[in-house]
Amino acid sequence: MIVFNVLIYAALLGVLAMGLSNLVGGIRRRKAGDIAGGVFFVLVAVGFGWAMSFVVVQQHQIAASQVDRADAVRCTATILGQQDAHSRINGAELYRFHLRVRIGGKAPYETDSMAVESPYTGGELGAGRTEYACWADRHDPDRVEIRWADPVP
């Protein structure tokens, strides 16, 4: 995945360089068509760069809420609130959940977790289902992954 991102950013830098070269050459030669083409390529590169950065940030936020099973402890999460992150991934919404987490033998604590919520899960939350099994990272208890397929009765 990192190699793919590097290749995409290298291509964007190439398009940006081409646009800047065209823009500067057009200004020097006073050719409106070259200037317009240069501005177009610069705007395309900036737009795609912004979009890629947005996707990478969303992907990082989701990954930050996933727990490696080797470091996971079982827990129960009560959803205290949710906030729409205004992003869609494959038709599902990205949400930030505020949770109360209970791990056996420890005091409950509150934290946040990002998750992609399918329309199915959204319907369950809307119907009042708020408790789910979860995984918490034993080294970083604020890192919690909700197990949507395991609601607590």
Side-chain angles (χ1 to χ4, degrees):
M1 186 67 169
I2 292 174
V3 172
F4 178 74
N5 287 342
V6 169
L7 290 175
I8 293 293
Y9 280 117
L12 286 175
L13 285 174
V15 170
L16 180 63
M18 189 170 61
L20 286 174
S21 174
N22 215 19
L23 178 64
V24 170
I27 290 171
R28 286 184 180 160
R29 291 186 299 275
R30 296 187 180 153
K31 289 188 172 184
D34 289 351
I35 294 171
V39 169
F40 174 75
F41 277 107
V42 168
L43 290 176
V44 166
V46 169
F48 276 115
W50 174 83
M52 283 294 296
S53 296
F54 181 76
V55 168
V56 168
V57 165
Q58 298 302 321
Q59 180 183 9
H60 176 71
Q61 288 179 338
I62 293 170
S65 294
Q66 294 176 336
V67 177
D68 183 9
R69 296 302 177 261
D71 295 326
V73 292
R74 292 181 182 268
C75 59
T76 303
T78 303
I79 298 173
L80 302 176
Q82 72 184 41
Q83 179 181 17
D84 186 353
H86 305 294
S87 298
R88 293 189 78 111
I89 298 174
N90 294 330
E93 297 287 332
L94 178 65
Y95 283 91
R96 175 180 304 277
F97 293 95
H98 187 66
L99 310 170
R100 179 176 300 119
V101 180
R102 291 183 307 281
I103 299 173
K106 296 185 179 184
Y109 63 95
E110 292 184 13
T111 189
D112 290 331
S113 181
M114 296 289 289
V116 176
E117 181 182 318
S118 70
Y120 173 74
T121 306
E124 284 187 346
L125 288 173
R129 187 174 299 260
T130 59
E131 281 199 313
Y132 291 87
C134 61
W135 297 111
D137 190 312
R138 77 176 78 248
H139 305 295
D140 182 6
D142 285 337
R143 185 179 224 172
V144 175
E145 181 179 341
I146 301 169
R147 295 171 37 205
W148 297 111
D150 295 326
V152 176

